[in-house]
Short mmCIF file of all heavy atoms in Angstrom, two decimals:
data_model
loop_
_atom_site.label_atom_id
_atom_site.label_comp_id
_atom_site.label_asym_id
_atom_site.label_seq_id
_atom_site.Cartn_x
_atom_site.Cartn_y
_atom_site.Cartn_z
N MET A 1 0.53 8.41 -0.77
CA MET A 1 0.55 8.77 0.63
C MET A 1 1.98 8.75 1.16
O MET A 1 2.91 8.45 0.46
CB MET A 1 -0.30 7.77 1.43
CG MET A 1 -1.79 7.88 1.18
SD MET A 1 -2.43 9.28 2.09
CE MET A 1 -4.05 9.34 1.44
N MET A 2 2.11 8.99 2.44
CA MET A 2 3.44 9.06 3.05
C MET A 2 3.89 7.68 3.53
O MET A 2 3.09 6.88 3.95
CB MET A 2 3.42 10.03 4.22
CG MET A 2 2.57 9.51 5.34
SD MET A 2 2.21 10.57 6.73
CE MET A 2 3.36 11.80 6.78
N PRO A 3 5.19 7.41 3.46
CA PRO A 3 5.69 6.12 3.95
C PRO A 3 5.73 6.11 5.47
O PRO A 3 5.91 7.15 6.11
CB PRO A 3 7.10 6.04 3.36
CG PRO A 3 7.50 7.46 3.14
CD PRO A 3 6.22 8.21 2.83
N PHE A 4 5.56 4.95 6.05
CA PHE A 4 5.67 4.79 7.49
C PHE A 4 7.14 4.59 7.82
O PHE A 4 7.75 3.63 7.40
CB PHE A 4 4.84 3.59 7.96
CG PHE A 4 4.91 3.37 9.44
CD1 PHE A 4 4.32 4.27 10.30
CD2 PHE A 4 5.54 2.27 9.97
CE1 PHE A 4 4.37 4.09 11.67
CE2 PHE A 4 5.59 2.07 11.33
CZ PHE A 4 5.01 2.98 12.18
N ARG A 5 7.72 5.50 8.57
CA ARG A 5 9.16 5.49 8.81
C ARG A 5 9.53 5.00 10.21
O ARG A 5 10.63 4.57 10.44
CB ARG A 5 9.74 6.87 8.62
CG ARG A 5 9.57 7.42 7.22
CD ARG A 5 10.40 8.68 7.05
NE ARG A 5 10.01 9.52 5.97
CZ ARG A 5 10.06 9.22 4.69
NH1 ARG A 5 10.44 8.05 4.31
NH2 ARG A 5 9.70 10.09 3.77
N ASP A 6 8.64 5.08 11.17
CA ASP A 6 8.96 4.79 12.56
C ASP A 6 8.75 3.31 12.87
O ASP A 6 7.94 2.95 13.71
CB ASP A 6 8.11 5.67 13.46
CG ASP A 6 8.66 5.78 14.87
OD1 ASP A 6 9.74 5.23 15.13
OD2 ASP A 6 7.99 6.39 15.72
N THR A 7 9.50 2.44 12.21
CA THR A 7 9.29 1.01 12.36
C THR A 7 9.80 0.48 13.70
O THR A 7 9.41 -0.60 14.12
CB THR A 7 9.97 0.23 11.22
OG1 THR A 7 11.36 0.56 11.21
CG2 THR A 7 9.34 0.57 9.88
N ALA A 8 10.67 1.21 14.38
CA ALA A 8 11.21 0.75 15.66
C ALA A 8 10.23 0.99 16.81
O ALA A 8 10.31 0.33 17.83
CB ALA A 8 12.53 1.44 15.94
N ALA A 9 9.32 1.92 16.65
CA ALA A 9 8.39 2.26 17.72
C ALA A 9 7.22 1.27 17.72
O ALA A 9 6.58 1.07 16.70
CB ALA A 9 7.86 3.67 17.54
N PRO A 10 6.98 0.64 18.86
CA PRO A 10 5.83 -0.29 18.92
C PRO A 10 4.52 0.48 18.85
O PRO A 10 4.44 1.63 19.27
CB PRO A 10 6.00 -0.98 20.26
CG PRO A 10 6.82 -0.04 21.08
CD PRO A 10 7.69 0.72 20.11
N LEU A 11 3.52 -0.15 18.31
CA LEU A 11 2.21 0.46 18.20
C LEU A 11 1.31 -0.11 19.28
O LEU A 11 1.07 -1.32 19.32
CB LEU A 11 1.63 0.19 16.81
CG LEU A 11 0.33 0.90 16.47
CD1 LEU A 11 0.50 2.42 16.51
CD2 LEU A 11 -0.15 0.48 15.11
N TYR A 12 0.85 0.74 20.18
CA TYR A 12 -0.03 0.31 21.27
C TYR A 12 -1.35 1.05 21.14
O TYR A 12 -1.38 2.27 21.00
CB TYR A 12 0.61 0.63 22.63
CG TYR A 12 -0.34 0.40 23.78
CD1 TYR A 12 -0.61 -0.88 24.24
CD2 TYR A 12 -1.01 1.47 24.36
CE1 TYR A 12 -1.49 -1.10 25.27
CE2 TYR A 12 -1.90 1.26 25.40
CZ TYR A 12 -2.14 -0.01 25.85
OH TYR A 12 -3.03 -0.23 26.87
N LEU A 13 -2.45 0.31 21.20
CA LEU A 13 -3.77 0.91 21.17
C LEU A 13 -4.45 0.64 22.51
O LEU A 13 -4.62 -0.51 22.90
CB LEU A 13 -4.61 0.32 20.04
CG LEU A 13 -4.05 0.51 18.64
CD1 LEU A 13 -4.93 -0.19 17.62
CD2 LEU A 13 -3.89 1.97 18.31
N ALA A 14 -4.85 1.71 23.18
CA ALA A 14 -5.48 1.57 24.48
C ALA A 14 -6.88 0.98 24.35
O ALA A 14 -7.32 0.21 25.19
CB ALA A 14 -5.54 2.91 25.19
N ASP A 15 -7.58 1.37 23.29
CA ASP A 15 -8.94 0.89 23.07
C ASP A 15 -9.36 1.17 21.63
O ASP A 15 -8.64 1.82 20.88
CB ASP A 15 -9.92 1.53 24.05
CG ASP A 15 -9.85 3.05 24.06
OD1 ASP A 15 -9.79 3.65 22.97
OD2 ASP A 15 -9.86 3.65 25.14
N ALA A 16 -10.52 0.67 21.26
CA ALA A 16 -11.02 0.83 19.89
C ALA A 16 -11.32 2.29 19.56
O ALA A 16 -11.29 2.67 18.39
CB ALA A 16 -12.26 -0.03 19.67
N ASP A 17 -11.59 3.10 20.57
CA ASP A 17 -11.88 4.51 20.32
C ASP A 17 -10.69 5.22 19.68
O ASP A 17 -10.85 6.20 18.96
CB ASP A 17 -12.27 5.22 21.61
CG ASP A 17 -13.64 4.81 22.11
OD1 ASP A 17 -14.46 4.34 21.28
OD2 ASP A 17 -13.90 4.97 23.32
N GLN A 18 -9.49 4.73 19.94
CA GLN A 18 -8.31 5.34 19.35
C GLN A 18 -8.31 5.18 17.83
O GLN A 18 -7.88 6.08 17.11
CB GLN A 18 -7.06 4.72 19.96
CG GLN A 18 -5.87 5.60 19.90
CD GLN A 18 -4.81 5.21 20.90
OE1 GLN A 18 -4.96 4.25 21.65
NE2 GLN A 18 -3.73 5.93 20.90
N VAL A 19 -8.81 4.06 17.34
CA VAL A 19 -8.92 3.86 15.90
C VAL A 19 -9.94 4.82 15.31
O VAL A 19 -9.73 5.40 14.24
CB VAL A 19 -9.29 2.39 15.57
CG1 VAL A 19 -9.49 2.20 14.08
CG2 VAL A 19 -8.24 1.44 16.10
N ILE A 20 -11.03 5.03 16.02
CA ILE A 20 -12.06 5.98 15.58
C ILE A 20 -11.49 7.39 15.54
O ILE A 20 -11.72 8.13 14.57
CB ILE A 20 -13.31 5.90 16.48
CG1 ILE A 20 -13.96 4.52 16.32
CG2 ILE A 20 -14.29 7.02 16.17
CD1 ILE A 20 -15.03 4.22 17.35
N GLU A 21 -10.73 7.78 16.57
CA GLU A 21 -10.10 9.10 16.59
C GLU A 21 -9.17 9.28 15.38
O GLU A 21 -9.17 10.33 14.73
CB GLU A 21 -9.30 9.30 17.87
CG GLU A 21 -10.12 9.46 19.11
CD GLU A 21 -9.27 9.46 20.39
OE1 GLU A 21 -8.05 9.21 20.32
OE2 GLU A 21 -9.86 9.70 21.45
N ALA A 22 -8.38 8.25 15.11
CA ALA A 22 -7.45 8.32 13.98
C ALA A 22 -8.20 8.45 12.66
O ALA A 22 -7.84 9.26 11.81
CB ALA A 22 -6.55 7.08 13.97
N THR A 23 -9.26 7.67 12.51
CA THR A 23 -10.06 7.72 11.30
C THR A 23 -10.71 9.09 11.13
O THR A 23 -10.74 9.64 10.02
CB THR A 23 -11.14 6.62 11.32
OG1 THR A 23 -10.50 5.36 11.50
CG2 THR A 23 -11.95 6.61 10.04
N ASP A 24 -11.21 9.66 12.21
CA ASP A 24 -11.81 10.99 12.17
C ASP A 24 -10.80 12.05 11.76
O ASP A 24 -11.11 12.95 10.97
CB ASP A 24 -12.44 11.35 13.51
CG ASP A 24 -13.69 10.55 13.83
OD1 ASP A 24 -14.25 9.91 12.89
OD2 ASP A 24 -14.12 10.56 15.00
N LEU A 25 -9.58 11.96 12.30
CA LEU A 25 -8.54 12.92 11.92
C LEU A 25 -8.17 12.79 10.45
O LEU A 25 -7.96 13.80 9.77
CB LEU A 25 -7.30 12.75 12.79
CG LEU A 25 -7.38 13.30 14.21
CD1 LEU A 25 -6.08 13.03 14.95
CD2 LEU A 25 -7.67 14.79 14.21
N ILE A 26 -8.07 11.55 9.97
CA ILE A 26 -7.76 11.35 8.55
C ILE A 26 -8.86 11.94 7.68
O ILE A 26 -8.58 12.59 6.67
CB ILE A 26 -7.54 9.85 8.26
CG1 ILE A 26 -6.28 9.35 8.95
CG2 ILE A 26 -7.46 9.61 6.75
CD1 ILE A 26 -6.13 7.85 8.96
N ALA A 27 -10.11 11.74 8.07
CA ALA A 27 -11.24 12.28 7.31
C ALA A 27 -11.24 13.82 7.32
O ALA A 27 -11.54 14.46 6.31
CB ALA A 27 -12.56 11.76 7.86
N ALA A 28 -10.87 14.40 8.45
CA ALA A 28 -10.92 15.86 8.59
C ALA A 28 -9.68 16.55 8.01
O ALA A 28 -9.79 17.64 7.44
CB ALA A 28 -11.07 16.24 10.06
N PHE A 29 -8.50 15.94 8.16
CA PHE A 29 -7.26 16.61 7.81
C PHE A 29 -6.49 15.96 6.67
O PHE A 29 -5.46 16.49 6.25
CB PHE A 29 -6.35 16.72 9.04
CG PHE A 29 -6.93 17.57 10.13
CD1 PHE A 29 -7.62 17.01 11.20
CD2 PHE A 29 -6.81 18.95 10.08
CE1 PHE A 29 -8.16 17.77 12.19
CE2 PHE A 29 -7.35 19.74 11.08
CZ PHE A 29 -8.03 19.15 12.14
N GLY A 30 -6.96 14.83 6.20
CA GLY A 30 -6.29 14.16 5.08
C GLY A 30 -4.85 13.84 5.38
O GLY A 30 -4.53 13.30 6.45
N GLU A 31 -3.96 14.20 4.46
CA GLU A 31 -2.54 13.88 4.62
C GLU A 31 -1.89 14.63 5.78
O GLU A 31 -0.77 14.29 6.19
CB GLU A 31 -1.78 14.15 3.33
CG GLU A 31 -1.77 15.61 2.92
CD GLU A 31 -1.11 15.82 1.58
OE1 GLU A 31 -1.40 15.07 0.65
OE2 GLU A 31 -0.30 16.76 1.48
N HIS A 32 -2.56 15.61 6.33
CA HIS A 32 -2.02 16.37 7.46
C HIS A 32 -2.50 15.85 8.80
O HIS A 32 -2.24 16.46 9.84
CB HIS A 32 -2.40 17.85 7.32
CG HIS A 32 -1.91 18.46 6.04
ND1 HIS A 32 -0.57 18.65 5.78
CD2 HIS A 32 -2.56 18.87 4.95
CE1 HIS A 32 -0.43 19.17 4.58
NE2 HIS A 32 -1.64 19.31 4.04
N ALA A 33 -3.19 14.71 8.81
CA ALA A 33 -3.72 14.15 10.06
C ALA A 33 -2.61 13.80 11.04
O ALA A 33 -2.77 13.99 12.26
CB ALA A 33 -4.57 12.91 9.76
N VAL A 34 -1.48 13.32 10.54
CA VAL A 34 -0.35 13.00 11.42
C VAL A 34 0.13 14.26 12.13
O VAL A 34 0.40 14.25 13.34
CB VAL A 34 0.80 12.35 10.63
CG1 VAL A 34 2.03 12.19 11.49
CG2 VAL A 34 0.37 11.01 10.08
N LEU A 35 0.22 15.35 11.40
CA LEU A 35 0.65 16.62 12.00
C LEU A 35 -0.35 17.12 13.03
O LEU A 35 0.04 17.64 14.08
CB LEU A 35 0.86 17.67 10.91
CG LEU A 35 1.95 17.36 9.89
CD1 LEU A 35 1.98 18.42 8.79
CD2 LEU A 35 3.30 17.26 10.57
N GLU A 36 -1.62 16.97 12.76
CA GLU A 36 -2.66 17.39 13.70
C GLU A 36 -2.56 16.58 15.00
O GLU A 36 -2.67 17.14 16.09
CB GLU A 36 -4.05 17.23 13.09
CG GLU A 36 -5.18 17.64 14.01
CD GLU A 36 -5.17 19.09 14.45
OE1 GLU A 36 -4.57 19.94 13.75
OE2 GLU A 36 -5.76 19.39 15.51
N ALA A 37 -2.34 15.29 14.88
CA ALA A 37 -2.18 14.46 16.08
C ALA A 37 -0.94 14.89 16.86
O ALA A 37 -0.96 14.93 18.09
CB ALA A 37 -2.11 12.99 15.70
N ALA A 38 0.14 15.24 16.15
CA ALA A 38 1.36 15.71 16.81
C ALA A 38 1.13 17.02 17.54
O ALA A 38 1.62 17.22 18.66
CB ALA A 38 2.48 15.85 15.79
N VAL A 39 0.37 17.91 16.92
CA VAL A 39 0.04 19.19 17.56
C VAL A 39 -0.77 18.95 18.83
O VAL A 39 -0.52 19.55 19.88
CB VAL A 39 -0.73 20.11 16.58
CG1 VAL A 39 -1.35 21.29 17.30
CG2 VAL A 39 0.20 20.58 15.47
N ARG A 40 -1.74 18.05 18.76
CA ARG A 40 -2.56 17.74 19.93
C ARG A 40 -1.72 17.10 21.03
O ARG A 40 -1.91 17.39 22.21
CB ARG A 40 -3.73 16.85 19.54
CG ARG A 40 -4.72 17.60 18.65
CD ARG A 40 -5.89 16.75 18.25
NE ARG A 40 -6.73 17.46 17.27
CZ ARG A 40 -7.96 17.13 16.99
NH1 ARG A 40 -8.53 16.10 17.58
NH2 ARG A 40 -8.65 17.83 16.11
N ALA A 41 -0.79 16.23 20.64
CA ALA A 41 0.10 15.63 21.63
C ALA A 41 0.95 16.70 22.31
O ALA A 41 1.11 16.70 23.53
CB ALA A 41 1.00 14.58 20.97
N GLY A 42 1.47 17.60 21.51
CA GLY A 42 2.28 18.70 22.06
C GLY A 42 1.50 19.57 23.02
O GLY A 42 2.02 19.99 24.07
N ALA A 43 0.26 19.84 22.69
CA ALA A 43 -0.59 20.66 23.57
C ALA A 43 -0.81 19.95 24.91
O ALA A 43 -0.77 20.58 25.98
CB ALA A 43 -1.92 20.96 22.90
N MET A 44 -1.01 18.66 24.87
CA MET A 44 -1.19 17.89 26.11
C MET A 44 0.09 17.86 26.93
O MET A 44 0.05 17.99 28.16
CB MET A 44 -1.65 16.46 25.80
CG MET A 44 -3.04 16.36 25.21
SD MET A 44 -4.33 16.97 26.32
CE MET A 44 -4.78 18.50 25.50
N ARG A 45 1.22 17.74 26.26
CA ARG A 45 2.51 17.77 26.96
C ARG A 45 2.71 19.12 27.63
O ARG A 45 3.15 19.20 28.78
CB ARG A 45 3.65 17.48 25.99
CG ARG A 45 5.02 17.44 26.67
CD ARG A 45 6.16 17.44 25.67
NE ARG A 45 6.06 18.63 24.84
CZ ARG A 45 6.18 18.62 23.50
NH1 ARG A 45 6.40 17.51 22.86
NH2 ARG A 45 6.09 19.73 22.82
N ASP A 46 2.36 20.18 26.91
CA ASP A 46 2.57 21.53 27.43
C ASP A 46 1.75 21.82 28.69
O ASP A 46 2.19 22.59 29.54
CB ASP A 46 2.24 22.58 26.36
CG ASP A 46 3.24 22.55 25.21
OD1 ASP A 46 4.33 21.95 25.36
OD2 ASP A 46 2.92 23.14 24.16
N ILE A 47 0.57 21.21 28.80
CA ILE A 47 -0.24 21.44 30.00
C ILE A 47 0.01 20.38 31.07
O ILE A 47 -0.62 20.40 32.14
CB ILE A 47 -1.74 21.53 29.69
CG1 ILE A 47 -2.29 20.22 29.13
CG2 ILE A 47 -2.03 22.70 28.76
CD1 ILE A 47 -3.81 20.20 29.00
N GLY A 48 0.93 19.46 30.80
CA GLY A 48 1.31 18.46 31.79
C GLY A 48 0.42 17.24 31.86
O GLY A 48 0.50 16.47 32.81
N ASN A 49 -0.41 17.02 30.85
CA ASN A 49 -1.28 15.85 30.83
C ASN A 49 -0.56 14.72 30.10
O ASN A 49 -0.73 14.52 28.90
CB ASN A 49 -2.61 16.20 30.15
CG ASN A 49 -3.64 15.10 30.29
OD1 ASN A 49 -3.31 13.94 30.47
ND2 ASN A 49 -4.90 15.48 30.17
N HIS A 50 0.25 13.97 30.85
CA HIS A 50 1.09 12.95 30.22
C HIS A 50 0.28 11.77 29.68
O HIS A 50 0.70 11.14 28.71
CB HIS A 50 2.16 12.46 31.19
CG HIS A 50 1.63 11.78 32.39
ND1 HIS A 50 1.16 12.46 33.48
CD2 HIS A 50 1.46 10.46 32.67
CE1 HIS A 50 0.74 11.60 34.39
NE2 HIS A 50 0.91 10.38 33.92
N VAL A 51 -0.87 11.49 30.27
CA VAL A 51 -1.69 10.37 29.77
C VAL A 51 -2.24 10.70 28.39
O VAL A 51 -2.14 9.90 27.45
CB VAL A 51 -2.83 10.05 30.76
CG1 VAL A 51 -3.78 9.02 30.17
CG2 VAL A 51 -2.26 9.57 32.09
N ARG A 52 -2.81 11.89 28.23
CA ARG A 52 -3.34 12.29 26.92
C ARG A 52 -2.22 12.52 25.91
O ARG A 52 -2.38 12.27 24.73
CB ARG A 52 -4.21 13.55 27.04
CG ARG A 52 -5.49 13.34 27.83
CD ARG A 52 -6.45 12.40 27.16
NE ARG A 52 -6.96 12.94 25.93
CZ ARG A 52 -7.70 12.28 25.06
NH1 ARG A 52 -8.06 11.05 25.31
NH2 ARG A 52 -8.10 12.84 23.96
N PHE A 53 -1.05 13.00 26.39
CA PHE A 53 0.10 13.15 25.51
C PHE A 53 0.47 11.80 24.88
O PHE A 53 0.61 11.69 23.66
CB PHE A 53 1.30 13.72 26.27
CG PHE A 53 2.60 13.56 25.54
CD1 PHE A 53 2.90 14.35 24.43
CD2 PHE A 53 3.53 12.60 25.93
CE1 PHE A 53 4.09 14.19 23.74
CE2 PHE A 53 4.73 12.45 25.24
CZ PHE A 53 5.01 13.24 24.15
N CYS A 54 0.59 10.78 25.72
CA CYS A 54 0.95 9.45 25.22
C CYS A 54 -0.11 8.90 24.28
O CYS A 54 0.22 8.29 23.26
CB CYS A 54 1.16 8.48 26.40
SG CYS A 54 2.61 8.87 27.38
N ARG A 55 -1.37 9.15 24.60
CA ARG A 55 -2.45 8.66 23.73
C ARG A 55 -2.37 9.32 22.35
O ARG A 55 -2.50 8.64 21.33
CB ARG A 55 -3.81 8.93 24.38
CG ARG A 55 -4.96 8.39 23.56
CD ARG A 55 -6.28 8.64 24.25
NE ARG A 55 -7.39 8.17 23.47
CZ ARG A 55 -7.93 6.96 23.57
NH1 ARG A 55 -7.46 6.11 24.46
NH2 ARG A 55 -8.93 6.60 22.81
N TRP A 56 -2.15 10.63 22.29
CA TRP A 56 -2.07 11.31 21.00
C TRP A 56 -0.82 10.90 20.23
O TRP A 56 -0.83 10.82 19.00
CB TRP A 56 -2.14 12.83 21.16
CG TRP A 56 -3.56 13.29 21.34
CD1 TRP A 56 -4.12 13.84 22.44
CD2 TRP A 56 -4.61 13.20 20.36
NE1 TRP A 56 -5.45 14.10 22.22
CE2 TRP A 56 -5.78 13.71 20.96
CE3 TRP A 56 -4.69 12.74 19.05
CZ2 TRP A 56 -6.99 13.78 20.28
CZ3 TRP A 56 -5.90 12.81 18.38
CH2 TRP A 56 -7.03 13.33 18.99
N ARG A 57 0.29 10.61 20.94
CA ARG A 57 1.48 10.13 20.24
C ARG A 57 1.21 8.77 19.60
O ARG A 57 1.63 8.51 18.47
CB ARG A 57 2.66 10.02 21.21
CG ARG A 57 3.27 11.35 21.58
CD ARG A 57 4.02 11.98 20.44
NE ARG A 57 5.21 11.19 20.16
CZ ARG A 57 5.73 10.98 18.96
NH1 ARG A 57 5.18 11.52 17.90
NH2 ARG A 57 6.80 10.25 18.81
N GLN A 58 0.51 7.90 20.32
CA GLN A 58 0.16 6.61 19.75
C GLN A 58 -0.82 6.76 18.59
O GLN A 58 -0.73 6.05 17.59
CB GLN A 58 -0.41 5.67 20.82
CG GLN A 58 0.63 5.21 21.82
CD GLN A 58 1.79 4.46 21.17
OE1 GLN A 58 1.69 3.89 20.10
NE2 GLN A 58 2.92 4.46 21.86
N THR A 59 -1.74 7.71 18.71
CA THR A 59 -2.68 7.98 17.61
C THR A 59 -1.91 8.48 16.40
O THR A 59 -2.20 8.10 15.26
CB THR A 59 -3.75 8.98 18.04
OG1 THR A 59 -4.46 8.45 19.17
CG2 THR A 59 -4.73 9.28 16.92
N GLU A 60 -0.91 9.30 16.64
CA GLU A 60 -0.05 9.79 15.55
C GLU A 60 0.62 8.62 14.83
O GLU A 60 0.63 8.55 13.59
CB GLU A 60 1.00 10.73 16.15
CG GLU A 60 1.97 11.30 15.16
CD GLU A 60 3.02 12.16 15.84
OE1 GLU A 60 2.90 12.47 17.04
OE2 GLU A 60 4.00 12.50 15.14
N ARG A 61 1.16 7.66 15.59
CA ARG A 61 1.79 6.49 14.98
C ARG A 61 0.77 5.63 14.22
O ARG A 61 1.06 5.11 13.15
CB ARG A 61 2.48 5.66 16.05
CG ARG A 61 3.70 6.33 16.62
CD ARG A 61 4.40 5.43 17.63
NE ARG A 61 5.53 6.13 18.20
CZ ARG A 61 5.56 6.58 19.45
NH1 ARG A 61 4.54 6.39 20.26
NH2 ARG A 61 6.62 7.23 19.90
N LEU A 62 -0.42 5.49 14.81
CA LEU A 62 -1.47 4.71 14.16
C LEU A 62 -1.87 5.33 12.83
O LEU A 62 -2.01 4.63 11.83
CB LEU A 62 -2.70 4.61 15.08
CG LEU A 62 -3.93 3.94 14.48
CD1 LEU A 62 -3.64 2.50 14.07
CD2 LEU A 62 -5.08 4.02 15.47
N ILE A 63 -2.02 6.64 12.79
CA ILE A 63 -2.37 7.33 11.55
C ILE A 63 -1.29 7.09 10.49
O ILE A 63 -1.60 6.81 9.34
CB ILE A 63 -2.58 8.84 11.78
CG1 ILE A 63 -3.84 9.06 12.62
CG2 ILE A 63 -2.66 9.60 10.47
CD1 ILE A 63 -3.99 10.48 13.14
N ALA A 64 -0.02 7.16 10.90
CA ALA A 64 1.07 6.93 9.96
C ALA A 64 0.98 5.53 9.36
O ALA A 64 1.20 5.34 8.16
CB ALA A 64 2.41 7.13 10.65
N VAL A 65 0.61 4.55 10.16
CA VAL A 65 0.45 3.19 9.65
C VAL A 65 -0.75 3.10 8.73
O VAL A 65 -0.69 2.49 7.66
CB VAL A 65 0.31 2.18 10.82
CG1 VAL A 65 -0.12 0.81 10.32
CG2 VAL A 65 1.60 2.08 11.60
N MET A 66 -1.85 3.73 9.13
CA MET A 66 -3.09 3.64 8.36
C MET A 66 -2.97 4.27 6.97
O MET A 66 -3.57 3.79 6.02
CB MET A 66 -4.25 4.27 9.13
CG MET A 66 -4.65 3.48 10.36
SD MET A 66 -5.86 4.32 11.40
CE MET A 66 -7.33 4.19 10.39
N VAL A 67 -2.22 5.35 6.86
CA VAL A 67 -2.13 6.05 5.57
C VAL A 67 -0.94 5.61 4.73
O VAL A 67 -0.79 6.03 3.60
CB VAL A 67 -2.11 7.59 5.74
CG1 VAL A 67 -3.35 8.07 6.44
CG2 VAL A 67 -0.86 8.05 6.45
N SER A 68 -0.10 4.74 5.30
CA SER A 68 1.09 4.28 4.59
C SER A 68 0.71 3.34 3.46
O SER A 68 -0.21 2.53 3.56
CB SER A 68 2.02 3.57 5.56
OG SER A 68 3.13 3.06 4.87
N ASP A 69 1.47 3.43 2.39
CA ASP A 69 1.31 2.52 1.26
C ASP A 69 2.18 1.27 1.43
O ASP A 69 2.10 0.35 0.63
CB ASP A 69 1.69 3.21 -0.06
CG ASP A 69 0.69 4.29 -0.44
OD1 ASP A 69 -0.47 4.19 -0.01
OD2 ASP A 69 1.08 5.22 -1.16
N GLU A 70 3.02 1.28 2.45
CA GLU A 70 3.96 0.19 2.68
C GLU A 70 3.39 -0.81 3.69
O GLU A 70 2.64 -0.44 4.58
CB GLU A 70 5.28 0.74 3.21
CG GLU A 70 5.97 1.68 2.27
CD GLU A 70 7.22 2.29 2.89
OE1 GLU A 70 7.66 1.82 3.95
OE2 GLU A 70 7.74 3.24 2.31
N ALA A 71 3.80 -2.05 3.56
CA ALA A 71 3.45 -3.06 4.56
C ALA A 71 4.27 -2.78 5.82
O ALA A 71 5.43 -2.41 5.74
CB ALA A 71 3.75 -4.44 4.05
N VAL A 72 3.66 -2.97 6.96
CA VAL A 72 4.34 -2.74 8.24
C VAL A 72 4.47 -4.06 8.96
O VAL A 72 3.51 -4.83 9.06
CB VAL A 72 3.54 -1.74 9.11
CG1 VAL A 72 4.20 -1.55 10.46
CG2 VAL A 72 3.39 -0.40 8.39
N GLY A 73 5.66 -4.34 9.46
CA GLY A 73 5.89 -5.60 10.16
C GLY A 73 6.39 -6.66 9.21
O GLY A 73 6.81 -6.40 8.07
N THR A 74 6.34 -7.89 9.66
CA THR A 74 6.82 -9.02 8.88
C THR A 74 5.81 -9.37 7.79
O THR A 74 4.62 -9.49 8.05
CB THR A 74 7.02 -10.25 9.78
OG1 THR A 74 7.91 -9.89 10.84
CG2 THR A 74 7.61 -11.40 9.00
N VAL A 75 6.30 -9.50 6.57
CA VAL A 75 5.47 -9.87 5.44
C VAL A 75 5.80 -11.31 5.07
O VAL A 75 6.95 -11.64 4.80
CB VAL A 75 5.71 -8.94 4.23
CG1 VAL A 75 4.85 -9.36 3.06
CG2 VAL A 75 5.43 -7.50 4.62
N HIS A 76 4.81 -12.15 5.08
CA HIS A 76 5.01 -13.57 4.75
C HIS A 76 4.55 -13.87 3.35
O HIS A 76 3.67 -13.33 2.83
CB HIS A 76 4.23 -14.46 5.72
CG HIS A 76 4.74 -14.36 7.12
ND1 HIS A 76 5.80 -15.07 7.58
CD2 HIS A 76 4.34 -13.59 8.16
CE1 HIS A 76 6.02 -14.77 8.84
NE2 HIS A 76 5.15 -13.88 9.22
#
């Protein structure tokens, strides 16, 4: 899978539904799920829906973490 590169960006989840959305995108788009979330975020930005834009950007980051083979954060 792809490595998680955006380690400086904090991961915020508004609710558990965001995890379900991410899982659904991974199931539907596989390794391209991150790109699909980015496209959806861009579409929301283009129509001026900043709340949904931010949600899709966070979903994009969540997908990157979920599909990464690397540990994220501090490893003890």
Side-chain angles (χ1 to χ4, degrees):
M1 290 282 171
M2 67 188 340
F4 180 69
R5 298 191 200 295
D6 198 4
T7 57
L11 187 61
Y12 171 78
L13 300 177
D15 53 44
D17 289 337
Q18 205 160 0
V19 177
I20 295 169
E21 289 172 353
T23 304
D24 290 345
L25 284 179
I26 293 168
F29 296 97
E31 64 185 45
H32 302 292
V34 172
L35 297 175
E36 180 61 24
V39 167
R40 293 180 186 197
M44 293 298 108
R45 183 192 58 226
D46 292 345
I47 64 171
N49 189 336
H50 64 279
V51 173
R52 294 295 294 173
F53 165 73
C54 291
R55 183 179 178 92
W56 280 113
R57 285 289 292 144
Q58 290 300 337
T59 301
E60 179 183 350
R61 290 183 183 108
L62 174 61
I63 291 168
V65 170
M66 291 172 72
V67 301
S68 176
D69 291 335
E70 299 175 12
V72 178
T74 304
V75 179
H76 295 277

